[in-house]
């Protein structure tokens, strides 16, 4: 293990990451509440939270390759990053339900069952729930090998989240293209590791 990670370990406790991680949500809420989010603040806030979910998901997935390829061990932050992903998806969903759809159930049910891009997002959220619920030490101990298997679902969540983002937009921005490229790279890396282990 190199000295850099241990320095970081001293500098940033995990609870500090949670505090930093929730700042974008509070900031976004403040911008929306003070009318600084453009002409369509609801959509802007909804997108803003969705993009932060994607960023935290990317950060969660980058932890393992960083350790395996560059010996940078940030594993102690992985759980917090995964949970932050879950919270941002949940906030994104709550904004959709309340501010976007004003809790109109017929529209929401029709969206969730008929609009493909919403279905992909919804599936990603549903899969994130067992991951969030079993992210605590007792669950890790109880589930043992199955815990790893279950948490492998994060890659499916990533694929569903990416499809949702791509389908939810007409033209991909440079930022979105970067996220897609990073996801492909991270998933590709995972696939290579998996294939190597199977053929070894
Ligand atoms: C892992 C789960 C999810 C991720 C990562 C995610 C991410 C995103 C992102 C990045 C956008 C912006 C796309 C753009 O550029 O226009 C977006 C838009 C949106 N998402 Fe999600 N989302 C997720 C789940 C959901 C769920 C569960 C719902 C609701 C059931 C939802 C509803 C929407 C809606 C309504 C939009 C706006 C589309 C529009 O412009 O009309 N998302 N999402």
């Amino acid at each position: 293990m190199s000295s850099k990670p241990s320095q970081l370990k001293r500098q940033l406790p995990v609870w500090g990451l949670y505090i930093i991680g929730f700042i974008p949500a509070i900031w976004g809420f403040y911008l929306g509440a003070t009318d600084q989010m453009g002409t369509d603040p609801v959509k802007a806030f909804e997108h803003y939270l969705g993009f932060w979910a994607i960023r935290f998901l990317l950060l969660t997935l980058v932890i393992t390759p960083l350790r395996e390829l560059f010996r940078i061990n940030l594993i102690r932050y992985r759980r917090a990053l995964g949970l932050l992903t879950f919270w941002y998806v949940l906030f994104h969903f709550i904004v959709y339900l309340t501010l976007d759809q004003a809790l109109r159930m017929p529209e929401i049910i029709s969206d969730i069952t008929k609009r493909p891009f919403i279905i992909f997002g919804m599936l990603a959220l549903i899969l994130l729930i067992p991951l969030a619920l079993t992210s605590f030490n007792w669950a890790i101990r109880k589930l043992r090998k199955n815990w790893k298997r279950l948490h492998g679902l994060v890659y499916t969540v990533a694929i569903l989240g990416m499809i949702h983002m791509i389908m939810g937009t007409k033209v991909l921005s440079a930022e979105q293209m970067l996220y897609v490229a990073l996801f492909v790279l991270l998933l590709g890396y995972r696939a290579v590791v998996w294939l190597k282990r199977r053929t070894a």
Side-chain angles (χ1 to χ4, degrees):
M1 223 182 285
S2 75
S3 61
K4 270 189 212 153
S6 57
Q7 277 167 12
L8 196 83
K9 204 166 153 179
R10 272 201 299 276
Q11 283 162 7
L12 184 67
V14 175
W15 58 261
L17 179 59
Y18 280 111
I19 292 177
I20 295 170
F22 282 117
I23 291 174
I26 296 164
W27 180 243
F29 185 78
Y30 166 77
L31 291 180
T34 52
D35 210 8
Q36 297 182 68
M37 266 217 168
T39 47
D40 192 346
V42 168
K43 275 280 166 221
F45 190 38
E46 197 175 19
H47 285 199
Y48 174 90
L49 292 168
F51 279 113
W52 274 102
I54 295 272
R55 289 177 197 126
F56 282 117
L57 190 50
L58 264 174
L59 287 172
T60 310
L61 295 180
V62 91
I63 298 286
T64 302
L66 273 184
R67 188 175 62 162
E68 291 175 359
L69 296 175
F70 305 105
R71 296 191 171 279
I72 298 175
N73 192 350
L74 300 173
I75 208 85
R76 68 198 297 262
Y77 299 116
R78 194 170 57 179
R79 176 182 2 199
L81 291 168
L83 282 170
L84 283 165
T85 306
F86 169 72
W87 283 112
Y88 274 86
V89 174
L90 195 64
F91 295 154
H92 176 67
F93 180 56
I94 291 170
V95 168
Y96 162 78
L97 289 179
T98 55
L99 303 178
D100 190 347
Q101 295 296 332
L103 294 175
R104 289 182 303 251
M105 281 329 273
E107 278 89 341
I108 292 168
I109 290 168
S110 152
D111 263 5
I112 287 173
T113 51
K114 292 198 186 105
R115 290 178 73 188
F117 102 93
I118 301 261
I119 296 173
F120 282 109
M122 205 58 222
L123 286 175
L125 171 61
I126 291 169
L127 288 185
L128 273 171
I129 294 169
L131 302 192
L133 289 177
T134 57
S135 65
F136 302 98
N137 291 340
W138 66 262
I140 300 172
R141 274 196 305 273
K142 277 247 145 46
L143 292 171
R144 293 186 194 172
K145 266 194 177 167
N146 289 330
W147 187 88
K148 220 171 167 205
R149 230 173 270 159
L150 179 67
H151 282 252
L153 279 178
V154 70
Y155 295 99
T156 311
V157 170
I159 293 167
L160 293 168
M162 276 292 118
I163 297 175
H164 167 78
M165 181 189 78
I166 294 168
M167 287 177 84
T169 187
K170 283 186 193 92
V171 183
L172 287 187
S173 65
E175 187 187 358
Q176 284 172 311
M177 283 186 207
L178 174 72
Y179 293 155
V180 175
L182 286 172
F183 266 113
V184 170
L185 216 67
L186 289 165
L187 292 176
Y189 169 75
R190 217 51 242 159
V192 170
V193 170
W194 183 79
L195 276 173
K196 268 190 174 171
R197 274 187 198 149
R198 263 182 79 100
T199 51

